[in-house]
Amino acid sequence: MKTVFEYTRGMRPVTTTYCPGCTHGIAHRLVMEVLVEKGLLGDTIGVSPIGCSILSHDYMNVDMCESAHGRAPAVASGIRRALPNKTVFTYQGDGDLASIGAGEIIHAAHRGELFTTIFINNAIYGMTGGQMAPTTLIGQKSTTGVDGRKKEISGMPLRISELLATIDGAVFVERVALNTPANVRKAKKAIEKAFTVQQMGLGFGLVEVLSTCPTNWGLSPVDSMTWLEENMIPYYPLGNFRCPEEVK
Amino acid sequence: MEEKKLMKGNEAFAEAAIRGGCHLYFGYPITPQNEIPEYMSRELSKHGGSFVQAESELAAVNMAYGGALTGHNVFLSSSSPGIALMQEGISFMCSAEIPVVMLNISRGGPGVGGIQPGQADYRQATKGGGNGDYHVPVFAPASVQESVDLIYDAIPIAERYRNPVMILADGMLGQMMEPVTLPEHRAVRSEAELLAEKPWALNGHGDKRERMVIQSLHLKPEELEAHNMHLEEKYQSMRKELPKYQIKNCKDAEIVFVAFGTMSRIVNEAIDQLKTEGITAGLIRPITLWPFPEAAFDEIDPSTKVVISTELAIGQMMEDVKSAVAGRFPVELIYRTGGMVPTPMEVARRAKQILEAIR
């Protein structure tokens, strides 16, 4: 009998603590499948900063370290400078990357650091319980904005991919979503390219992954997918913002 | 090979770190330590290492954590407000048990303060500016030569305890020129040798072992308590093994000064001045500020009239001096602050006034 699908050895055989319907599981698997397929699993070091996904090191079968809130790009820079022949990635949420770690991600991109960032954008703080993030949409309710985000008070949501695409050192920037099987396949392709860019030493790469947070959105897993499609994608358009010729 | 040179403090400190085996340096411009990142940017790559100018001290300390968790030796330097920004990373590295050596070329505070020498980071360095139950050994050199030696020696100390180590040298030491004998270069270790010595270091599992994790988060309180007790055992070992001090004429002294770093050199001259006036004075010079060398205070003669904490800060070390003296002698304070440095005459005059008031 031919095996058509199996659990990737990039994931450890444990049950995750993520909420039902959370897309972290899909994103984890995509990253790990790419590392397995590229033969990089044994040569990779991952960085998991504060956020729900700090526990990703329990699930991903690679050497990993935790980092303080927002500092993963600085930590990854230090690792990559120490180990120029290894593969390094950060796996960061939007509260972490777009808010407290905005300085670190911009300057890692600016230096063209040779690591890959998987940026999970679910438009809210998950681990701390649903507070407003820089990426929270106008009108979207959060525990620090119970009437919904207002432009006059909190400004417009921050578009990280568009911002980073203006930086020369960020040679690969793509926004993907995990709401449909077709989009999941596209997400994997983008992650694969981002790691290729690192392997080729071309510069910094980031894949922004539009994700769901049913618990803090107050929606069912299925409704969350619909909400992502109807609300997030119009404001955060999917697609590639920067890609070097070598990996097109 | 050892080498004798006349060097500016900051440059000698950077050279000592390179000779000690520092492979990575992460820095950010801040006065009065700028010669260190400048020197590292020129020299470190000649020895196979890497220099990165970070976007902030916050990034620098986190880069240091990243570099050091691979087993490579990392050196960091900054000055007072920059060290304040690094506290997040220092607490984190203590928790994650990652060794780095840090140098604070301290200046006057609080806040942005000034750029002249100060010792008002004493409390920040010894009591911890970061959160949680942790300690960092702090060494306080009094000359360019001693700074060089302590930086060189701090590297294996940090490795041995898997803990950050700080050298607290004030701006005077960083900016002065003195003759210095530079130690020989430590042998460069191969990647395999490093990993054999530091089996905790991350390098990728190579499909040969279980994946490893370096962490600071312990969500279960019983687990965190056990981890903190493990750290405390290391701190207890440090308390036994690290205290270092120098003592001068404490046998028959009426006054015993306690001073570290630049201030101890001024006190030494004040002691000579007092001698010409018929007053015998001695000095306890803590070389480790944490652990504080309490044993030194047992060497004070019972006939001593007063112990004077002499600082470029307003009584910060005095708290530890009082604790070490434990009521055996009156403890007084002589200080200047904000970047002001007293002359030996000024210290002698004020010490004499204190002694007369006590007599």
Side-chain angles (χ1 to χ4, degrees):
Chain A
M1 204 162 51
K2 196 182 158 204
T3 305
V4 292
F5 180 81
E6 61 186 348
Y7 196 76
T8 174
R9 68 184 180 87
M11 291 294 284
R12 301 178 68 235
V14 293
T15 306
T16 75
T17 51
Y18 297 128
C19 303
C22 165
T23 42
H24 267 314
I26 302 172
H28 282 23
R29 204 190 76 213
L30 296 182
V31 176
M32 291 300 112
E33 281 179 356
V34 164
L35 291 175
V36 170
E37 286 159 18
K38 286 177 154 295
L40 292 173
L41 202 63
D43 286 316
T44 296
I45 292 128
V47 186
S48 63
I50 303 297
C52 294
S53 58
I54 190 168
L55 295 172
S56 59
H57 60 63
D58 279 343
Y59 315 131
M60 296 178 171
N61 184 18
V62 288
D63 275 6
M64 287 190 84
C65 67
E66 293 173 354
S67 102
H69 204 14
R71 316 291 172 237
V75 176
S77 300
I79 297 172
R80 202 59 166 77
R81 299 293 175 130
L83 302 174
N85 300 318
K86 299 287 172 175
T87 297
V88 177
F89 73 91
T90 68
Y91 186 101
Q92 306 177 250
D94 48 329
D96 186 78
L97 182 143
S99 188
I100 195 167
E104 282 77 11
I105 196 69
I106 285 174
H107 284 280
H110 154 67
R111 290 188 300 271
E113 293 287 347
L114 298 176
F115 66 83
T116 304
T117 291
I118 308 300
F119 169 41
I120 305 296
N121 179 1
N122 57 13
I124 204 148
Y125 281 79
M127 192 188 215
T128 46
Q131 294 81 10
M132 183 179 64
T135 43
T136 297
L137 296 174
I138 293 297
Q140 185 188 340
K141 288 179 178 162
S142 62
T143 55
T144 49
V146 288
D147 297 328
R149 181 183 184 134
K150 291 186 174 68
K151 181 187 169 186
E152 308 75 52
I153 296 172
S154 307
M156 292 295 284
L158 199 54
R159 292 188 182 98
I160 287 292
S161 287
E162 287 83 343
L163 173 69
L164 290 180
T166 65
I167 298 172
D168 277 358
V171 295
F172 184 87
V173 181
E174 186 159 328
R175 185 183 288 123
V176 299
L178 299 178
N179 61 321
T180 64
N183 277 343
V184 170
R185 276 195 293 277
K186 283 184 197 162
K188 184 171 173 182
K189 223 170 202 106
I191 292 168
E192 197 270 329
K193 282 183 183 172
F195 278 102
T196 303
V197 162
Q198 178 180 168
Q199 276 182 293
M200 295 175 76
L202 300 175
F204 172 76
L206 175 135
V207 180
E208 176 174 346
V209 184
L210 299 186
S211 302
T212 61
C213 183
T215 300
N216 289 302
W217 290 358
L219 296 173
S220 72
V222 174
D223 290 347
S224 294
M225 292 298 183
T226 311
W227 193 88
L228 186 157
E229 185 172 345
E230 290 177 354
N231 297 280
M232 288 185 78
I233 294 177
Y235 188 80
Y236 297 117
L238 304 184
N240 182 275
F241 296 90
R242 287 196 77 190
C243 185
E245 279 304 318
E246 293 90 328
V247 295
K248 266 182 186 158
Chain B
M1 232 179 58
E2 280 192 0
E3 199 178 344
K4 193 157 191 171
K5 271 186 170 179
L6 180 69
M7 278 182 100
K8 186 167 185 174
N10 280 337
E11 297 200 335
F13 307 160
E15 181 63 26
I18 293 174
R19 287 173 181 246
C22 144
H23 183 71
L24 299 156
Y25 172 86
F26 306 101
Y28 185 81
I30 182 168
T31 308
Q33 62 88 58
N34 290 318
E35 294 84 358
I36 300 173
E38 286 164 6
Y39 192 89
M40 287 299 195
S41 73
R42 293 197 302 272
E43 299 297 326
L44 193 51
S45 64
K46 294 179 190 167
H47 302 278
S50 281
F51 160 87
V52 180
Q53 180 164 328
E55 64 270 28
S56 67
E57 288 89 348
L58 198 50
V61 73
N62 282 286
M63 288 177 187
Y65 160 63
L69 67 80
T70 69
H72 287 272
N73 285 327
V74 177
F75 186 62
L76 270 175
S77 69
S78 188
S79 178
S80 309
I83 298 286
L85 273 173
M86 290 184 179
Q87 296 300 323
E88 170 191 279
I90 296 170
S91 163
F92 195 104
M93 286 189 287
C94 286
S95 151
E97 303 193 78
I98 299 301
V100 301
V101 174
M102 309 169 287
L103 173 62
N104 180 359
I105 303 294
S106 67
R107 62 190 227 189
V112 179
I115 58 169
Q116 298 304 319
Q119 295 181 326
D121 293 357
Y122 182 91
R123 223 182 261 127
Q124 182 198 56
T126 61
K127 309 289 190 257
N131 59 303
D133 284 321
Y134 76 92
H135 289 287
V136 171
V138 181
F139 291 89
S143 67
V144 174
Q145 182 67 59
E146 193 178 31
S147 307
V148 163
D149 296 341
L150 288 175
I151 291 165
Y152 192 82
D153 293 345
I155 295 169
I157 291 174
E159 287 182 320
R160 186 165 93 229
Y161 293 110
R162 284 186 62 186
N163 200 76
V165 171
M166 180 175 281
I167 315 292
L168 181 60
D170 59 64
M172 189 80 89
L173 289 167
Q175 294 300 319
M176 65 167 56
M177 284 189 91
E178 281 189 324
V180 58
T181 303
L182 295 165
E184 61 179 22
H185 282 272
R186 280 208 176 92
V188 178
R189 288 172 288 190
S190 69
E191 203 70 32
E193 285 168 332
L194 264 184
L195 293 174
E197 278 179 42
K198 302 179 185 181
W200 49 265
L202 300 190
N203 193 267
H205 57 58
D207 296 313
K208 292 188 184 92
R209 57 161 171 79
E210 279 288 298
R211 67 92 173 83
M212 291 199 300
V213 175
I214 286 182
Q215 64 188 117
S216 170
L217 180 75
H218 302 274
L219 285 173
K220 293 181 183 141
E222 57 272 28
E223 195 185 293
L224 178 56
E225 184 181 52
H227 179 64
N228 288 349
M229 284 162 68
H230 156 69
L231 296 180
E232 181 56 26
E233 273 176 33
K234 292 200 302 185
Y235 301 138
Q236 290 295 356
S237 304
M238 293 175 195
R239 285 186 181 100
K240 281 195 204 87
E241 293 158 10
L242 294 180
K244 200 172 174 183
Y245 59 93
Q246 210 177 39
I247 205 154
K248 181 178 165 180
N249 317 326
C250 277
K251 284 291 165 231
D252 57 348
E254 284 185 277
I255 299 170
V256 170
F257 290 102
V258 188
F260 70 93
T262 291
M263 199 64 206
S264 68
R265 296 172 69 154
I266 295 164
V267 167
N268 265 322
E269 289 188 38
I271 289 172
D272 295 342
Q273 172 63 32
L274 287 166
K275 200 174 176 183
T276 65
E277 299 177 38
I279 297 168
T280 55
L283 169 67
I284 291 173
R285 178 171 78 87
I287 298 172
T288 49
L289 302 181
W290 193 91
F292 194 69
E294 293 183 346
F297 294 79
D298 297 337
E299 297 187 38
I300 302 175
D301 195 88
S303 66
T304 292
K305 301 277 190 309
V306 62
V307 174
I308 304 177
S309 189
T310 318
E311 314 175 19
L312 298 177
I314 310 181
Q316 294 197 20
M317 180 175 65
M318 190 188 188
E319 294 165 4
D320 286 337
V321 172
K322 277 185 171 168
S323 164
V325 163
R328 288 174 286 181
F329 307 97
V331 177
E332 296 288 338
L333 174 68
I334 295 176
Y335 73 89
R336 293 298 298 265
T337 178
M340 294 301 288
V341 179
T343 61
M345 295 293 282
E346 187 182 342
V347 172
R349 194 177 65 245
R350 289 165 71 177
K352 206 172 152 188
Q353 286 165 359
I354 288 169
L355 184 65
E356 278 162 6
I358 282 174
R359 274 174 178 162

